[in-house]
Amino acid sequence: MKDTDLSRMRDGEKARVTGITGGGAMGRRLRDMGLVQGTQVECLLHSPFGDPAAYLIRGAVIALRREDSRRVQAVLL
């Protein structure tokens, strides 16, 4: 298992969330989307220019900008 953040995931990779860096409104928003410790995330695809990327999180497809996905720490599965 390799420590990473969501912005470094490739299409098709799966990871388990280990935490969120930083707080504030964006940190709270990420947690409200279900990105809490233990949540499994799958990177579905990146846009043609690489930003944003679509992730499957708890049955919902969520698009995150690279800047926001860097805040989500995870372990690749």
Side-chain angles (χ1 to χ4, degrees):
M1 291 188 195
K2 182 179 174 188
D3 290 333
T4 190
D5 60 56
L6 296 190
S7 71
R8 296 174 188 226
M9 291 176 67
R10 295 180 181 182
D11 294 353
E13 285 187 323
K14 294 182 182 182
R16 188 165 311 280
V17 175
T18 58
I20 305 281
T21 59
M26 192 60 205
R28 183 173 46 252
R29 184 168 183 258
L30 291 168
R31 286 188 292 279
D32 288 346
M33 282 189 246
L35 290 166
V36 295
Q37 187 171 3
T39 299
Q40 184 171 318
V41 177
E42 180 179 355
C43 182
L44 297 177
L45 59 100
H46 287 80
S47 69
F49 294 107
D51 193 25
Y55 301 91
L56 182 62
I57 304 166
R58 296 181 179 254
V61 177
I62 309 271
L64 292 175
R65 294 177 296 172
R66 184 176 295 128
E67 161 187 343
D68 299 327
S69 61
R70 281 187 182 128
R71 300 178 71 165
V72 182
Q73 300 302 306
V75 172
L76 291 177
L77 300 177

